[in-house]
Amino acid sequence: MKITSITPWIVEAKGTYFGEFMFVEVKTDEGIVGWGEVTTSTKLANRSVAGVIRQLEELLKGSDPTQIESIWNRSFRNFTYMGSRGAACLAISGIDIALWDILGKSLNRPIYALLGGKVRDDVLLYTHPDQTKFTDPGAVKEEIMGIVESGHTALKFDPFPHLRGLQVRRNGYLDGELSREAERIGAELTALIRETTGPEIEILIDAHGRFNVPTAVRLCNRLKDAGQIDWFEEPVPPESYHALRQVREQIDVPIAVGERLHTRWEFVPILENQLADYIMPDVTWAGGISELKKIATMCEAYYVPVTPHDASGPINVVAGSHVMITTPNFYRVETSLHDLSSYNRFIQEPLDNSGGSLKLTDKPGLGIEMDMDFLRAHALDGYGG
Ligand SMILES: [Mg+2]
């Protein structure tokens, strides 16, 4: 079997958080087609990664798609002088997922069976409220109760993105400061959500890497007092492990990091220096199914739980779940919302996340089929179709 084409698809999805999703289609000369995903956080990044995927098509056309380890390393080393993490690693991730889909389809086996088999029946999830609905305390309670009633037992939110105008925007970092007014509003929101969930739901806080060391420490302690929080994620930007250590030494809430780290090598200093309680690589960014399995095994040696950041699209959550259903040291997989019906437009059969866990089918490969009519009708010009 040989690879005949690798195509980045950017597909418009109005009404969703991202507004568009990026998938990767790998075709072969035997008619087997594999799919991956690399939806990023900005349109600029999606288009940059699509350009890298097009270059990798030139490199990999004619290769045997079942030689996944060889293709991963050959692709990765081609970017070594420009830096093999970032865009290169994202492009490799999307292709890697598609290659595992092809391998599973060629052997008529689900991917998890090729990774050692299941160690659990389904994959526990955590999810987010839709914070655009947080217009008043009653609306907050209604949204949170929707999650609790869906059967999810952990939820994550960012107490601060609704404070536009009071601080830098979501992905921004200038001075890492937050006003005392914004801090108070965030603490009040956290207290309201804890009051709504009761004590037995796990509440995870995402700081989105926006704060300097003293601000992160102050906010974490304030939110802990307000709402008995269960983790504080990305307290500082990903560039400084030293800053992360300083925060860690001054708080007693578990820390989660990893969605902006790429490959097994970037997790070594986190594990060796005991900088986090939870490791959260994204299967579509950190290096694909191959790399997530390796990172998870590294964490297993340290008894650190893995909890993939897989909150963009349907392939993202399913690919991460195939690895996690085979992983002993597992906490939960992240999903964007408890109601995943916005994913159904992309795939032929809806995902089953009833009761707060994802059920994987025993169909070959990823076990999902793309809805080609929808994809063709909504692909951006020059990206798929
Ligand atoms: Mg996050």
Side-chain angles (χ1 to χ4, degrees):
M1 185 157 49
K2 287 186 168 49
I3 294 172
T4 55
S5 69
I6 302 177
T7 307
W9 288 68
I10 299 179
V11 183
E12 190 175 52
K14 287 195 172 127
T16 62
Y17 176 78
F18 290 97
E20 65 179 34
F21 289 74
M22 182 155 76
F23 303 108
V24 184
E25 180 188 36
V26 178
K27 287 186 173 171
T28 67
D29 61 350
E30 293 189 10
I32 297 176
V33 177
W35 284 89
E37 179 175 350
V38 202
T39 307
T40 74
S41 59
T42 67
K43 292 185 175 179
L44 182 149
N46 279 347
R47 283 146 190 76
S48 302
V49 174
V52 178
I53 291 170
R54 290 203 173 102
Q55 294 304 312
L56 284 171
E57 180 188 34
E58 296 306 311
L59 178 76
L60 301 175
K61 228 191 268 187
S63 300
D64 178 347
T66 67
Q67 300 297 304
I68 299 173
E69 189 71 28
S70 168
I71 286 174
W72 196 101
N73 278 280
R74 196 146 47 98
S75 304
F76 187 72
R77 297 300 171 190
N78 257 279
F79 297 100
T80 188
Y81 281 94
M82 73 168 241
S84 299
R85 277 73 71 197
C89 195
L90 270 66
I92 291 168
S93 303
I95 293 170
D96 181 89
I97 294 166
L99 297 183
W100 278 99
D101 192 27
I102 289 170
L103 181 63
K105 287 171 176 169
S106 72
L107 298 171
N108 199 32
R109 300 285 285 153
I111 290 169
Y112 61 74
L114 308 176
L115 295 172
K118 293 180 179 181
V119 297
R120 54 184 54 83
D121 293 332
D122 53 25
V123 179
L124 199 61
L125 304 172
Y126 74 88
T127 195
H128 295 245
D130 179 352
Q131 292 185 232
T132 64
K133 295 180 179 167
F134 282 6
T135 50
D136 61 61
V140 172
K141 286 187 166 196
E142 187 179 340
E143 182 66 11
I144 296 300
M145 281 315 295
I147 292 177
V148 174
E149 287 163 4
S150 73
H152 288 75
T153 51
L155 63 89
K156 186 166 88 183
F157 67 100
D158 182 333
F160 308 114
H162 60 296
L163 301 173
R164 289 196 169 84
L166 294 177
Q167 65 140 41
V168 292
R169 65 190 175 81
R170 181 177 166 199
N171 288 319
Y173 181 99
L174 184 60
D175 54 22
E177 291 285 324
L178 187 73
S179 74
R180 298 304 161 119
E181 182 187 9
E183 178 181 327
R184 174 183 56 76
I185 295 170
E188 287 170 359
L189 175 64
T190 304
L192 176 62
I193 289 177
R194 173 53 79 194
E195 180 192 314
T196 307
T197 63
E200 291 177 5
I201 300 291
E202 293 175 47
I203 292 183
L204 317 175
I205 299 292
D206 195 345
H208 284 115
R210 285 170 308 188
F211 303 116
N212 60 33
V213 172
T215 305
V217 170
R218 197 184 75 238
L219 290 178
C220 181
N221 289 332
R222 181 89 184 255
L223 296 184
K224 186 189 105 183
D225 291 345
Q228 187 206 324
I229 59 176
D230 291 282
W231 86 25
F232 197 58
E233 173 179 329
E234 286 197 308
V236 290
E239 289 81 14
S240 174
Y241 291 148
H242 189 83
L244 185 59
R245 179 200 293 281
Q246 285 183 282
V247 172
R248 185 157 178 74
E249 288 172 348
Q250 296 179 72
I251 66 173
D252 61 0
V253 173
I255 286 181
V257 296
E259 69 187 74
R260 296 184 230 194
L261 300 179
H262 304 119
T263 76
R264 72 208 83 154
W265 294 286
E266 290 195 340
F267 287 91
V268 169
I270 299 287
L271 294 167
E272 285 281 284
N273 297 300
Q274 304 156 28
L275 295 180
D277 299 278
Y278 295 90
I279 297 295
M280 43 178 308
D282 189 310
V283 68
T284 65
W285 300 344
I289 285 174
S290 303
E291 200 66 10
L292 181 58
K293 182 67 179 173
K294 290 174 182 176
I295 294 166
T297 303
M298 283 168 54
C299 294
E300 187 184 357
Y302 289 83
Y303 296 110
V304 170
V306 180
T307 178
H309 170 271
D310 287 342
S312 53
I315 296 178
N316 187 214
V317 64
V318 169
S321 295
H322 271 275
V323 181
M324 288 301 111
I325 209 165
T326 75
T327 297
N329 51 313
F330 166 64
Y331 172 62
R332 294 162 192 268
V333 166
E334 181 174 7
T335 60
S336 53
L337 294 168
H338 75 83
D339 176 1
L340 294 179
S341 57
S342 68
Y343 291 174
N344 293 343
R345 66 189 86 183
F346 302 113
I347 50 182
Q348 291 182 16
E349 290 176 25
L351 303 182
D352 179 0
N353 68 334
S354 56
S357 65
L358 191 72
K359 285 78 181 170
L360 295 176
T361 73
D362 58 3
K363 293 177 181 168
L366 289 166
I368 55 175
E369 292 296 331
M370 305 306 285
D371 184 332
M372 295 310 299
D373 290 339
F374 181 84
L375 261 55
R376 287 195 191 97
H378 295 86
L380 303 192
D381 282 349
Y383 296 95

